[in-house]
Short mmCIF file of all heavy atoms in Angstrom, two decimals:
data_model
loop_
_atom_site.label_atom_id
_atom_site.label_comp_id
_atom_site.label_asym_id
_atom_site.label_seq_id
_atom_site.Cartn_x
_atom_site.Cartn_y
_atom_site.Cartn_z
N MET A 353 11.64 13.13 6.90
CA MET A 353 12.41 12.55 5.80
C MET A 353 13.83 12.56 6.31
O MET A 353 14.33 13.42 7.01
CB MET A 353 12.39 13.40 4.59
CG MET A 353 11.08 13.55 3.92
SD MET A 353 10.88 12.38 2.67
CE MET A 353 9.70 13.15 1.59
N ASN A 354 14.64 11.63 5.80
CA ASN A 354 16.04 11.60 6.11
C ASN A 354 16.88 12.43 5.15
O ASN A 354 18.03 12.77 5.46
CB ASN A 354 16.61 10.24 6.11
CG ASN A 354 15.92 9.31 7.03
OD1 ASN A 354 15.89 9.56 8.29
ND2 ASN A 354 15.29 8.18 6.64
N CYS A 355 16.36 12.80 4.01
CA CYS A 355 17.20 13.45 2.98
C CYS A 355 17.93 14.68 3.44
O CYS A 355 19.12 14.78 3.13
CB CYS A 355 16.32 13.70 1.76
SG CYS A 355 14.86 12.85 1.57
N PRO A 356 17.26 15.63 4.11
CA PRO A 356 17.98 16.88 4.45
C PRO A 356 19.18 16.54 5.29
O PRO A 356 20.22 17.14 5.14
CB PRO A 356 16.97 17.69 5.21
CG PRO A 356 15.58 17.22 4.69
CD PRO A 356 15.82 15.75 4.47
N GLN A 402 13.01 3.89 7.80
CA GLN A 402 13.20 3.58 6.44
C GLN A 402 14.54 2.92 6.20
O GLN A 402 15.46 3.18 6.94
CB GLN A 402 13.13 4.83 5.52
CG GLN A 402 11.86 5.51 5.56
CD GLN A 402 11.85 6.79 4.78
OE1 GLN A 402 12.73 7.65 5.00
NE2 GLN A 402 10.97 6.91 3.78
N ASP A 404 16.76 3.49 4.29
CA ASP A 404 16.94 4.65 3.41
C ASP A 404 18.37 4.79 2.96
O ASP A 404 19.28 4.37 3.60
CB ASP A 404 16.56 5.93 4.17
CG ASP A 404 16.07 6.97 3.20
OD1 ASP A 404 15.91 6.72 2.07
OD2 ASP A 404 15.69 8.07 3.77
N ALA A 405 18.57 5.29 1.71
CA ALA A 405 19.89 5.76 1.32
C ALA A 405 19.75 6.86 0.28
O ALA A 405 18.72 7.01 -0.42
CB ALA A 405 20.61 4.50 0.67
N HIS A 406 20.73 7.66 0.19
CA HIS A 406 20.83 8.75 -0.79
C HIS A 406 22.15 8.60 -1.49
O HIS A 406 23.23 8.48 -0.94
CB HIS A 406 20.68 10.04 -0.09
CG HIS A 406 19.30 10.18 0.47
ND1 HIS A 406 19.09 9.88 1.81
CD2 HIS A 406 18.10 10.55 -0.11
CE1 HIS A 406 17.74 10.09 1.98
NE2 HIS A 406 17.17 10.50 0.88
N LEU A 513 16.46 18.81 -4.85
CA LEU A 513 17.09 19.04 -3.56
C LEU A 513 18.61 19.50 -3.73
O LEU A 513 19.00 20.43 -2.95
CB LEU A 513 17.04 17.80 -2.61
CG LEU A 513 15.65 17.58 -1.97
CD1 LEU A 513 15.63 16.37 -1.11
CD2 LEU A 513 15.25 18.79 -1.12
N MET A 533 20.70 13.64 -7.17
CA MET A 533 20.51 12.71 -5.97
C MET A 533 19.65 11.54 -6.37
O MET A 533 18.74 11.71 -7.23
CB MET A 533 19.83 13.43 -4.85
CG MET A 533 20.69 14.00 -3.79
SD MET A 533 19.59 14.91 -2.64
CE MET A 533 19.24 13.66 -1.44
N ILE A 534 19.89 10.38 -5.78
CA ILE A 534 18.95 9.29 -5.95
C ILE A 534 18.48 8.87 -4.57
O ILE A 534 19.35 8.61 -3.70
CB ILE A 534 19.53 8.06 -6.67
CG1 ILE A 534 19.98 8.45 -8.09
CG2 ILE A 534 18.55 6.91 -6.78
CD1 ILE A 534 20.76 7.42 -8.85
N HIS A 535 17.14 8.88 -4.27
CA HIS A 535 16.65 8.38 -3.00
C HIS A 535 16.27 6.93 -3.25
O HIS A 535 15.61 6.71 -4.25
CB HIS A 535 15.36 9.08 -2.53
CG HIS A 535 15.43 10.59 -2.61
ND1 HIS A 535 15.44 11.34 -1.49
CD2 HIS A 535 15.39 11.42 -3.64
CE1 HIS A 535 15.37 12.65 -1.83
NE2 HIS A 535 15.40 12.69 -3.16
N ARG A 536 16.56 6.10 -2.36
CA ARG A 536 16.05 4.68 -2.54
C ARG A 536 15.83 4.00 -1.26
O ARG A 536 16.57 4.14 -0.27
CB ARG A 536 17.00 3.91 -3.48
CG ARG A 536 18.32 3.53 -2.90
CD ARG A 536 18.35 2.08 -2.59
NE ARG A 536 19.44 1.60 -1.82
CZ ARG A 536 19.31 1.52 -0.47
NH1 ARG A 536 18.22 1.93 0.15
NH2 ARG A 536 20.29 1.10 0.27
ZN1 ZN B 702 15.25 10.86 0.44
#
Side-chain angles (χ1 to χ4, degrees):
M353 298 266 207
N354 299 302
C355 342
Q402 295 178 307
D404 211 359
H406 294 94
L513 286 178
M533 267 176 86
I534 299 172
H535 311 249
R536 70 111 194 88

